């Protein structure tokens, strides 16, 4: 991921420095396990020497790989140089025990899974932080009335708080998917060339995994099965889709013709190089754009599941791109959505004006039900309600004014509703008399 969208903590996790540090720890742990078990010739003293002297630099590994064209061999070669540097001439070289009985995927796959758990811990907290913001704002705005829209068309009154509450629940589901993915990916494998432990004791695997906080993969065929990685990328993609949904709503509400909400506009910010008046939802748009990258990367994860026989490396190059990019982009857009939603500017007066924009048409469902309750068939009631609604709609489009929907109903002899009934119907709070159950449920959400 480009530096522009990389936050430091996440960037550090996907750095070569961190990857090689994990590789080093796995190799050292494997040596210590071999010495503890005592089934090969390594002594505890040699394992301690390896622990003390093992080291690397990224530049040295890269230099060696330029010759070997194999990153694991380049790394173990570099490690050996440091381990053996101070060994007296003629003494056995402790580095011979490094990578003993292991294959490259034992190292690379176990390390990658560990890296992914590190990254997941960050994005899980990202989602929780965003969820807490949404819940707080939902409770604050639970009584701020606005019009709901279906198909982009005014539907019935609701509240701004309900929007935040809906996002809170979606983020709670995102959190659970990420937690499930973490459990699935938190595995390691030190099982040899085709996963049969042909040259290494399974207790080495158990030792290494325990010290890394992983579980041994029950059966790795040299590689850890990529359905696990696909689940991780899928969880990120689903979470990104939720962030895109929220950002899209912010963008829609910020349109000049709607303007019920607006993302923060910082002091000194410029909206357009040509039009100084512009205050564009550029951050929400950026969230939507990067969400597309994360969603697309999930497909790569699915494609990586099918490998030839016990293993090929068709997944490897793709993973080196999509895994860090997806995590880095997700972490970034979470931070941007926190900024947007925590500081989202609301315009209740515009929301109230938009409620009246269709001159009362949004109350049609209440009129329909009241007529049905008065004894009229649903079909006849619908005909009356729609006929009068279309009159008002045509007046709005043709003249921009005219009688309101209530006035049109009052003038219609087929509408038998009393003034008191219409007073009750044309009160937006009538749609919200049961909204408290929504916010009572929301109270149970914990992040």
């Amino acid at each position: 991921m480009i530096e522009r969208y990389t936050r430091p903590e996440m960037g550090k996790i996907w750095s070569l420095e961190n990857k090689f540090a994990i590789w080093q720890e796995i190799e050292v742990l494997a040596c210590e396990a071999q010495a503890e078990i005592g089934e090969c010739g390594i002594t505890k003293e040699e394992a301690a020497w390896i622990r003390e002297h093992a080291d690397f630099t990224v530049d040295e590994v890269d230099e060696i790989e330029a010759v070997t064209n194999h990153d694991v061999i380049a790394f173990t070669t570099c490690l050996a140089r440091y381990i053996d540097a101070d060994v007296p001439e003629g003494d056995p070289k402790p580095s011979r025990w490094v990578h003993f009985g292991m294959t490259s995927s034992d190292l690379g796959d176990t390390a990658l899974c560990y890296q992914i758990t590190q990254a997941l811990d960050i994005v899980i907290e990202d989602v929780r932080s965003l969820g807490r913001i949404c819940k707080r704002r939902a409770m604050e705005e639970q009584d701020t009335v606005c019009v709901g829209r279906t198909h982009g068309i005014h539907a019935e009154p609701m509240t701004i708080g309900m929007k935040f509450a809906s996002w809170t629940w979606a983020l709670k589901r995102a959190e659970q998917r990420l937690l499930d993915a973490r459990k699935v990916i938190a595995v390691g494998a030190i099982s040899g060339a085709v996963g049969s432990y042909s040259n290494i004791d399974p207790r080495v695997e158990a030792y290494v995994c325990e010290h890394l906080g992983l579980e041994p993969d029950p059966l790795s065929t040299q590689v850890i099965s990529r359905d696990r990685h696909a689940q991780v990328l899928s969880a990120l993609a689903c979470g990104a889709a939720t962030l895109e949904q929220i950002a899209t709503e912010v963008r829609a509400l910020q349109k000049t013709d709607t303007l019920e909400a607006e993302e923060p506009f910082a002091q000194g910010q410029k909206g357009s190089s040509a039009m100084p008046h512009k205050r564009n939802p550029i951050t929400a748009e950026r969230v939507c754009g990067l969400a597309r990258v994360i969603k697309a990367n999930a497909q790569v994860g699915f494609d990586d599941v099918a490998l030839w026989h016990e293993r090929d490396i068709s997944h490897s190059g793709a993973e080196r791109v999509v895994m860090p990019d997806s995590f880095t982009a997700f972490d970034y857009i979470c931070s941007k959505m926190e900024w947007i939603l925590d500081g989202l500017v609301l315009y209740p007066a515009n929301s109230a004006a938009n409620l009246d924009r269709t001159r009362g048409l949004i109350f049609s469902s209440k009129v329909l039900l009241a007529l049905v309750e008065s004894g009229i068939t649903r079909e006849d009631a619908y005909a009356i309600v729609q006929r009068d609604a279309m009159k008002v709609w045509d007046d709005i489009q043709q003249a921009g004014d005219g009688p309101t929907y209530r006035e049109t109903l009052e003038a219609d002899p087929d509408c038998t509703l009393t003034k008191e009934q219409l007073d009750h119907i044309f009160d937006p709070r009538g749609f919200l008399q049961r909204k408290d159950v929504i916010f009572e449920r929301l109270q149970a959400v914990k992040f």
Side-chain angles (χ1 to χ4, degrees):
M1 179 54 63
I2 63 174
E3 186 176 348
R4 180 183 180 93
Y5 304 132
T6 302
R7 300 174 79 202
E9 188 178 7
M10 184 62 77
K12 182 178 178 181
I13 286 175
W14 294 106
S15 68
L16 285 174
E17 188 75 35
N18 185 54
K19 182 176 83 168
F20 290 154
I22 298 169
W23 282 15
Q24 177 177 309
E25 182 63 14
I26 290 170
E27 293 288 3
V28 171
L29 285 170
C31 290
E32 290 173 342
Q34 297 275 25
E36 187 76 27
I37 293 167
E39 285 205 357
C40 68
I42 185 172
T43 65
K44 291 184 179 180
E45 290 73 21
E46 286 176 308
W49 179 279
I50 291 170
R51 165 69 70 182
E52 182 179 353
H53 291 86
D55 205 353
F56 68 90
T57 70
V58 172
D59 287 343
E60 286 178 283
V61 176
D62 287 346
E63 181 182 327
I64 299 168
E65 188 184 356
V67 177
T68 63
N69 199 26
H70 195 293
D71 57 351
V72 172
I73 293 174
F75 176 77
T76 57
T77 300
C78 182
L79 213 60
R81 290 177 179 177
Y82 282 90
I83 293 169
D84 295 340
D86 296 329
V87 176
E89 188 69 31
D91 286 1
K93 305 296 186 184
S95 69
R96 70 191 189 278
W97 302 115
V98 171
H99 211 66
F100 188 87
M102 294 170 59
T103 190
S104 296
S105 290
D106 289 338
L107 179 61
D109 273 16
T110 302
L112 178 58
C113 287
Y114 184 74
Q115 271 184 291
I116 292 171
T117 63
Q118 289 180 316
L120 279 167
D121 287 341
I122 291 176
V123 297
I124 288 168
E125 185 50 44
D126 287 342
V127 169
R128 288 170 174 166
S129 178
L130 188 53
R132 289 190 289 267
I133 291 171
C134 282
K135 180 180 177 180
R136 171 176 58 79
R137 298 221 60 181
M139 302 308 295
E140 292 169 352
E141 307 297 339
Q142 60 181 298
D143 295 318
T144 305
V145 182
C146 66
V147 68
R149 297 169 175 88
T150 58
H151 303 273
I153 308 301
H154 286 199
E156 291 184 354
M158 58 178 292
T159 75
I160 293 289
M162 290 172 62
K163 293 179 184 287
F164 281 104
S166 174
W167 302 337
T168 305
W169 283 110
L171 289 165
K172 188 63 182 177
R173 293 188 294 273
E175 177 200 31
Q176 189 59 57
R177 282 190 293 267
L178 291 167
L179 288 169
D180 291 344
R182 193 192 190 286
K183 184 176 181 180
V184 165
I185 201 65
V187 295
I190 311 288
S191 57
V194 292
S196 63
Y197 304 97
S198 57
N199 294 305
I200 197 162
D201 193 302
R203 288 177 290 176
V204 176
E205 178 184 73
Y207 183 96
V208 171
C209 287
E210 180 182 359
H211 283 75
L212 294 176
L214 306 175
E215 291 290 330
D217 190 333
L219 199 164
S220 58
T221 60
Q222 188 178 117
V223 294
I224 292 172
S225 295
R226 259 44 195 179
D227 62 282
R228 298 177 185 272
H229 304 68
Q231 184 169 342
V232 170
L233 289 167
S234 176
L236 291 172
C238 286
T242 290
L243 298 186
E244 183 181 15
Q245 173 197 16
I246 299 171
T248 298
E249 180 67 10
V250 170
R251 292 168 59 193
L253 292 176
Q254 190 167 333
K255 289 187 297 182
T256 305
D257 299 330
T258 305
L259 200 55
E260 295 182 12
E262 184 179 44
E263 72 172 47
F265 194 82
Q267 183 69 31
Q269 183 175 337
K270 303 293 189 293
S272 167
S273 63
M275 297 168 285
H277 73 279
K278 297 290 291 296
R279 291 163 65 109
N280 301 325
I282 59 168
T283 307
E285 290 170 342
R286 194 182 313 155
V287 168
C288 291
L290 288 174
R292 296 168 191 165
V293 174
I294 300 166
K295 293 186 296 180
N297 285 352
Q299 183 61 52
V300 177
F302 298 136
D303 292 341
D304 282 346
V305 175
L307 304 178
W308 282 17
H309 303 298
E310 280 58 60
R311 183 232 184 177
D312 63 50
I313 62 166
S314 60
H315 63 290
S316 178
E319 281 177 353
R320 292 173 195 244
V321 175
V322 299
M323 199 63 75
D325 276 11
S326 291
F327 272 106
T328 304
F330 189 82
D331 176 50
Y332 177 82
I333 63 175
C334 279
S335 73
K336 294 293 105 177
M337 285 309 306
E338 285 184 38
W339 178 78
I340 290 172
L341 295 181
D342 193 38
L344 189 68
V345 181
L346 301 178
Y347 296 108
N350 289 347
S351 295
N354 285 335
L355 276 171
D356 295 333
R357 192 168 180 177
T358 57
R359 306 181 66 77
L361 294 184
I362 59 175
F363 299 98
S364 69
S365 64
K366 291 286 189 184
V367 178
L368 173 65
L369 295 179
L371 286 174
V372 169
E373 286 181 328
S374 73
I376 301 175
T377 68
R378 182 177 180 86
E379 288 74 17
D380 289 342
Y382 197 101
I384 295 168
V385 171
Q386 186 182 46
R387 180 186 65 216
D388 289 342
M390 292 305 102
K391 289 179 182 177
V392 175
W393 180 258
D394 289 342
D395 285 342
I396 294 172
Q397 307 317 312
Q398 294 170 12
D401 56 13
T404 66
Y405 187 41
R406 175 170 179 168
E407 292 168 343
T408 303
L409 289 167
E410 289 173 331
D412 187 342
D414 292 331
C415 179
T416 57
L417 300 177
T418 66
K419 177 183 182 302
E420 290 72 21
Q421 287 176 305
L422 291 172
D423 285 342
H424 179 72
I425 288 169
F426 282 84
D427 180 353
R429 290 170 297 183
F431 288 91
L432 304 172
Q433 57 187 341
R434 299 189 183 94
K435 73 171 178 58
D436 288 350
V437 68
I438 294 169
F439 296 96
E440 288 168 5
R441 292 170 182 164
L442 188 66
Q443 292 283 17
V445 179
K446 306 295 181 186
F447 286 100

